[in-house]
């Protein structure tokens, strides 16, 4: 049995597709913010088509596991395989969301930014996931503004006691 890499099942999209899909994830983050939640959004894409979208709904649902990536996976529903999908998230995934990407074999994760808190980038890379950080100021500033306005909610979201 030979090992496989992300490139065996899923090809990196071109810049215009990355931008389009990340803008959809950003809109999801805005939707979460409008609902009074943490502004983190995610989309799951197969062959350029969004098959799932979601945003952080921990506050709205009172559910500590309702992070944006998890909400997105729930919306996508059961898939025969995830090996041909790409997950986009406005923030580099935390350990729980990185674990879901690893568990389901999502080969590529594209994040809007990785500056807001220490993520689980290395966990995903060590598991063979191709990780791309777009380092977008728009994503960073949205979270920074939220964290300044609602520090206790932000700290709760990332598991830090305030």
């Amino acid at each position: 049995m030979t090992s496989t890499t992300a490139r065996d099942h899923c090809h990196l999209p071109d810049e215009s597709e990355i931008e389009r899909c990340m803008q959809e994830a950003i809109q999801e983050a805005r939707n979460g913010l409008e609902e009074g939640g943490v502004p983190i959004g995610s989309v799951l894409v197969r062959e350029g088509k969004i098959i799932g979208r979601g945003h952080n709904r921990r506050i709205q649902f009172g559910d500590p596991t309702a992070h944006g990536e998890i909400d997105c996976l729930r919306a996508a529903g059961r898939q025969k395989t995830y090996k041909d999908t790409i997950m986009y998230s406005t923030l580099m995934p935390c350990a729980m969301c990185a674990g879901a990407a690893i568990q389901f074999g999502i080969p590529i994760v594209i994040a809007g930014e990785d500056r807001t808190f220490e993520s689980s980038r290395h966990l995903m890379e060590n598991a063979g996931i191709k990780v791309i950080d777009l380092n977008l100021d728009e994503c960073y500033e949205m979270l920074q503004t939220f964290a300044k306005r609602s520090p206790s909610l932000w700290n709760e979201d990332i598991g830090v006691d305030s």
Side-chain angles (χ1 to χ4, degrees):
M1 180 179 255
T2 60
S3 65
T4 59
T5 65
R7 292 180 299 279
D8 294 325
H9 299 287
C10 192
H11 299 285
L12 283 176
D14 64 27
E15 279 188 43
S16 66
E17 184 174 319
I18 290 172
E19 184 176 333
R20 177 181 61 82
C21 293
M22 185 53 68
Q23 283 303 312
E24 293 291 330
I26 289 170
Q27 184 56 52
E28 284 297 321
R30 288 186 188 122
N31 293 348
L33 188 60
E34 288 173 12
E35 294 172 0
V38 180
I40 300 171
S42 181
V43 295
L44 187 66
V45 177
R46 173 179 285 126
E47 297 178 2
K49 181 179 178 220
I50 294 172
I51 61 170
R53 59 178 63 239
H55 52 272
N56 187 303
R57 295 177 191 227
R58 277 183 349 85
I59 296 164
Q60 300 92 308
F61 292 174
D63 178 353
T65 67
H67 283 204
E69 299 89 342
I70 302 301
D71 190 50
C72 173
L73 288 168
R74 285 181 182 137
R78 291 175 58 200
Q79 301 292 312
K80 184 175 180 181
T81 183
Y82 295 85
K83 296 193 183 320
D84 59 348
T85 64
I86 299 172
M87 178 174 281
Y88 291 79
S89 180
T90 56
L91 178 64
M92 191 68 69
C94 69
M96 177 178 66
C97 297
I102 293 165
Q103 175 70 28
F104 295 116
I106 296 171
I108 301 171
V109 172
I110 300 176
E113 66 104 347
D114 191 22
R115 294 179 268 170
T116 296
F117 85 112
E118 189 168 334
S119 70
S120 292
R121 177 184 188 140
H122 297 297
L123 177 66
M124 292 184 291
E125 289 173 334
N126 290 339
I129 294 175
K130 170 85 173 159
V131 179
I132 299 170
D133 175 11
L134 299 177
N135 196 25
L136 299 175
D137 289 336
E138 180 177 9
C139 294
Y140 178 74
E141 290 165 7
M142 190 178 347
L143 276 170
Q144 291 303 302
T145 299
F146 178 82
K148 286 176 185 163
R149 287 185 188 154
S150 304
S152 64
L153 291 176
W154 173 244
N155 287 337
E156 178 187 323
D157 193 69
I158 61 172
V160 174
D161 293 329
S162 1

